[in-house]
Amino acid sequence: DLSSDLLIGGAPQNTPAPPHKPGAAFVFRLDPNTSTWLQQVKLRSSDGFDEDRFGISVTLASATAASLIGDVAIVGAHQDDDGGRNSGSAYVFNNFLTGGEQFQLQKITAFDHSPQDLFGFSVSISPAGTLAIISSHGDDDNANGSGAAYVYRWDPDDLVFVFEQKIKAPDLAANDSFGFAVAVSGPPDHEVAVIGAFSDDDLGLNSGSAYVFRCNGNRQWVFEQKLT
């Protein structure tokens, strides 16, 4: 992901202590004098375990790109096992550009996590850095593998992201994988999210679709349109 002069890349098979592969993420900053990207910091989870796949998804908001809470990054680990095998999690890092290796400010898991939910497979943060969407395309609320996405908003008092709403498409079916990809943009309380469901079958087996949701100003997310 890219935000102004910062770039983050995930390495979900990174191996700091062979043969274990918990994963990592690397942040680079653009040097305006040389127009080259220079590594600034390596992000790791404090409780990383083999095959967590930390770094499978990454997103960031740079303070120089109008982030309201400084530099903030979120890294997904969809095979973390806190809520059962491959239930998944995501890690938040804030103002992390101090060099060396940095560990997280917050670990997020779904309130209703269960095995194989794959929470954290895709993550996206708003330009202001105050809202995050974390996918769970293995969620089974509507049917096996129908999928879901979770919205979290920054609490300026407690300095953490707080759960706001669980989003599901109105016509989910088994194995749609709603949440395989997520993206969010827009100003605070009026954000727009697009959530992919690559195995949706409207136009044939696994033809795919994407759903648009909008925050209505009262921090309620409303379905707006289905794209095929």
Side-chain angles (χ1 to χ4, degrees):
D1 195 19
L2 179 70
S3 179
S4 186
D5 60 343
L6 290 183
L7 180 152
I8 186 170
Q13 293 271 58
N14 185 261
T15 311
H20 300 294
K21 298 178 286 186
F26 298 84
V27 179
F28 297 79
R29 170 162 275 165
L30 181 64
D31 184 335
N33 297 316
T34 63
S35 296
T36 56
W37 293 89
L38 304 177
Q39 184 178 321
Q40 302 294 301
V41 64
K42 179 180 181 179
L43 304 180
R44 293 176 55 201
S45 60
S46 61
D47 60 351
F49 197 73
D50 192 31
E51 296 295 348
D52 275 356
R53 295 298 182 100
F54 175 91
I56 191 68
S57 57
V58 292
T59 186
L60 62 77
S62 167
T64 56
S67 171
L68 301 179
I69 62 174
D71 299 317
V72 58
I74 300 177
V75 181
H78 73 301
Q79 292 186 180
D80 182 73
D81 299 327
D82 279 14
R85 183 171 178 78
N86 297 340
S87 54
S89 63
Y91 296 79
V92 180
F93 301 81
N94 186 223
N95 295 323
F96 45 80
L97 292 178
T98 58
E101 291 187 349
Q102 294 295 313
F103 296 100
Q104 78 273 5
L105 166 73
Q106 180 185 3
K107 181 176 183 179
I108 299 175
T109 58
F111 69 91
D112 57 351
H113 53 206
S114 61
Q116 304 301 330
D117 275 354
L118 306 175
F119 178 88
F121 186 81
S122 182
V123 295
S124 182
I125 193 167
S126 66
T130 54
L131 185 126
I133 293 186
I134 302 173
S135 78
S136 180
H137 73 275
D139 183 86
D140 299 328
D141 277 9
N142 285 56
N144 183 51
S146 53
Y150 297 73
V151 179
Y152 296 84
R153 193 173 295 274
W154 181 255
D155 185 328
D157 296 322
D158 293 334
L159 303 180
V160 293
F161 281 91
V162 177
F163 172 73
E164 181 167 287
Q165 188 173 333
K166 183 175 183 179
I167 295 175
K168 294 178 289 184
D171 60 348
L172 281 181
N175 300 314
D176 274 356
S177 291
F178 174 84
F180 195 82
V182 297
V184 64
S185 191
D189 295 335
H190 296 279
E191 298 93 349
V192 177
V194 180
I195 302 173
F198 83 113
S199 292
D200 182 73
D201 300 327
D202 279 13
L203 300 179
L205 182 65
N206 298 335
S207 54
S209 63
Y211 297 78
V212 181
F213 292 80
R214 186 180 299 272
C215 186
N216 64 5
N218 295 316
R219 300 191 174 178
Q220 295 293 316
W221 287 81
V222 179
F223 168 68
E224 189 168 272
Q225 187 177 350
K226 183 174 183 178
L227 307 177
T228 58

